[in-house]
mmCIF file of all heavy atoms in Angstrom:
data_model
loop_
_atom_site.group_PDB
_atom_site.id
_atom_site.type_symbol
_atom_site.label_atom_id
_atom_site.label_comp_id
_atom_site.label_asym_id
_atom_site.label_seq_id
_atom_site.Cartn_x
_atom_site.Cartn_y
_atom_site.Cartn_z
ATOM 1 N N ALA A 382 -60.998 -48.805 15.164
ATOM 2 C CA ALA A 382 -59.763 -48.735 14.383
ATOM 3 C C ALA A 382 -60.114 -48.887 12.922
ATOM 4 O O ALA A 382 -60.941 -49.712 12.546
ATOM 5 C CB ALA A 382 -58.801 -49.830 14.820
ATOM 6 N N GLY A 383 -59.488 -48.077 12.093
ATOM 7 C CA GLY A 383 -59.778 -48.111 10.667
ATOM 8 C C GLY A 383 -59.050 -49.232 9.966
ATOM 9 O O GLY A 383 -58.210 -49.907 10.545
ATOM 10 N N LYS A 384 -59.380 -49.399 8.671
ATOM 11 C CA LYS A 384 -58.814 -50.533 7.942
ATOM 12 C C LYS A 384 -57.364 -50.330 7.571
ATOM 13 O O LYS A 384 -56.721 -51.255 7.101
ATOM 14 C CB LYS A 384 -59.661 -50.829 6.704
ATOM 15 C CG LYS A 384 -60.035 -49.600 5.894
ATOM 16 C CD LYS A 384 -60.694 -49.973 4.589
ATOM 17 C CE LYS A 384 -62.063 -50.575 4.770
ATOM 18 N NZ LYS A 384 -62.832 -50.554 3.506
ATOM 19 N N LEU A 385 -56.818 -49.120 7.754
ATOM 20 C CA LEU A 385 -55.416 -48.901 7.416
ATOM 21 C C LEU A 385 -54.547 -48.745 8.661
ATOM 22 O O LEU A 385 -53.417 -48.284 8.576
ATOM 23 C CB LEU A 385 -55.267 -47.655 6.542
ATOM 24 C CG LEU A 385 -56.075 -47.625 5.246
ATOM 25 C CD1 LEU A 385 -55.885 -46.303 4.535
ATOM 26 C CD2 LEU A 385 -55.661 -48.751 4.343
ATOM 27 N N SER A 386 -55.084 -49.087 9.831
ATOM 28 C CA SER A 386 -54.334 -48.840 11.068
ATOM 29 C C SER A 386 -53.196 -49.837 11.225
ATOM 30 O O SER A 386 -53.317 -51.002 10.883
ATOM 31 C CB SER A 386 -55.257 -48.974 12.276
ATOM 32 O OG SER A 386 -56.409 -48.216 12.082
ATOM 33 N N ASP A 387 -52.104 -49.362 11.801
ATOM 34 C CA ASP A 387 -50.994 -50.253 12.091
ATOM 35 C C ASP A 387 -51.159 -50.835 13.493
ATOM 36 O O ASP A 387 -51.954 -50.344 14.298
ATOM 37 C CB ASP A 387 -49.660 -49.521 11.960
ATOM 38 C CG ASP A 387 -49.612 -48.269 12.779
ATOM 39 O OD1 ASP A 387 -50.553 -47.448 12.659
ATOM 40 O OD2 ASP A 387 -48.670 -48.087 13.538
ATOM 41 N N ALA A 388 -50.404 -51.875 13.780
ATOM 42 C CA ALA A 388 -50.573 -52.582 15.050
ATOM 43 C C ALA A 388 -50.239 -51.687 16.244
ATOM 44 O O ALA A 388 -50.914 -51.746 17.275
ATOM 45 C CB ALA A 388 -49.678 -53.823 15.060
ATOM 46 N N GLU A 389 -49.216 -50.845 16.121
ATOM 47 C CA GLU A 389 -48.814 -50.013 17.251
ATOM 48 C C GLU A 389 -49.946 -49.089 17.685
ATOM 49 O O GLU A 389 -50.240 -48.964 18.879
ATOM 50 C CB GLU A 389 -47.586 -49.164 16.884
ATOM 51 C CG GLU A 389 -46.303 -49.925 16.770
ATOM 52 C CD GLU A 389 -46.049 -50.385 15.361
ATOM 53 O OE1 GLU A 389 -47.015 -50.411 14.572
ATOM 54 O OE2 GLU A 389 -44.910 -50.734 15.044
ATOM 55 N N SER A 390 -50.578 -48.417 16.700
ATOM 56 C CA SER A 390 -51.613 -47.462 17.087
ATOM 57 C C SER A 390 -52.844 -48.183 17.622
ATOM 58 O O SER A 390 -53.522 -47.673 18.512
ATOM 59 C CB SER A 390 -51.969 -46.567 15.908
ATOM 60 O OG SER A 390 -52.369 -47.337 14.817
ATOM 61 N N MET A 391 -53.125 -49.386 17.108
ATOM 62 C CA MET A 391 -54.276 -50.121 17.635
ATOM 63 C C MET A 391 -54.017 -50.553 19.074
ATOM 64 O O MET A 391 -54.909 -50.516 19.923
ATOM 65 C CB MET A 391 -54.573 -51.334 16.754
ATOM 66 C CG MET A 391 -55.224 -50.937 15.450
ATOM 67 S SD MET A 391 -55.922 -52.311 14.554
ATOM 68 C CE MET A 391 -54.475 -53.071 13.902
ATOM 69 N N MET A 392 -52.761 -50.943 19.331
ATOM 70 C CA MET A 392 -52.398 -51.296 20.705
ATOM 71 C C MET A 392 -52.586 -50.089 21.622
ATOM 72 O O MET A 392 -53.188 -50.181 22.698
ATOM 73 C CB MET A 392 -50.933 -51.738 20.724
ATOM 74 C CG MET A 392 -50.428 -52.221 22.048
ATOM 75 S SD MET A 392 -50.934 -53.913 22.366
ATOM 76 C CE MET A 392 -52.287 -53.693 23.475
ATOM 77 N N ALA A 393 -52.100 -48.926 21.183
ATOM 78 C CA ALA A 393 -52.202 -47.723 22.010
ATOM 79 C C ALA A 393 -53.654 -47.342 22.237
ATOM 80 O O ALA A 393 -54.046 -46.982 23.350
ATOM 81 C CB ALA A 393 -51.440 -46.577 21.337
ATOM 82 N N LEU A 394 -54.477 -47.446 21.168
ATOM 83 C CA LEU A 394 -55.885 -47.078 21.312
ATOM 84 C C LEU A 394 -56.589 -48.002 22.299
ATOM 85 O O LEU A 394 -57.366 -47.552 23.147
ATOM 86 C CB LEU A 394 -56.575 -47.138 19.940
ATOM 87 C CG LEU A 394 -58.035 -46.718 19.927
ATOM 88 C CD1 LEU A 394 -58.166 -45.260 20.312
ATOM 89 C CD2 LEU A 394 -58.673 -46.942 18.570
ATOM 90 N N LYS A 395 -56.272 -49.289 22.199
ATOM 91 C CA LYS A 395 -56.915 -50.220 23.121
ATOM 92 C C LYS A 395 -56.481 -49.937 24.559
ATOM 93 O O LYS A 395 -57.306 -49.917 25.475
ATOM 94 C CB LYS A 395 -56.573 -51.657 22.742
ATOM 95 C CG LYS A 395 -57.257 -52.693 23.616
ATOM 96 C CD LYS A 395 -57.113 -54.075 23.035
ATOM 97 C CE LYS A 395 -57.428 -55.151 24.047
ATOM 98 N NZ LYS A 395 -58.781 -55.089 24.596
#
Side-chain angles (χ1 to χ4, degrees):
Chain A
K384 46 172 69 163
L385 304 177
S386 310
D387 53 309
E389 288 92 342
S390 56
M391 285 193 285
M392 184 80 259
L394 183 64
K395 183 168 164 59

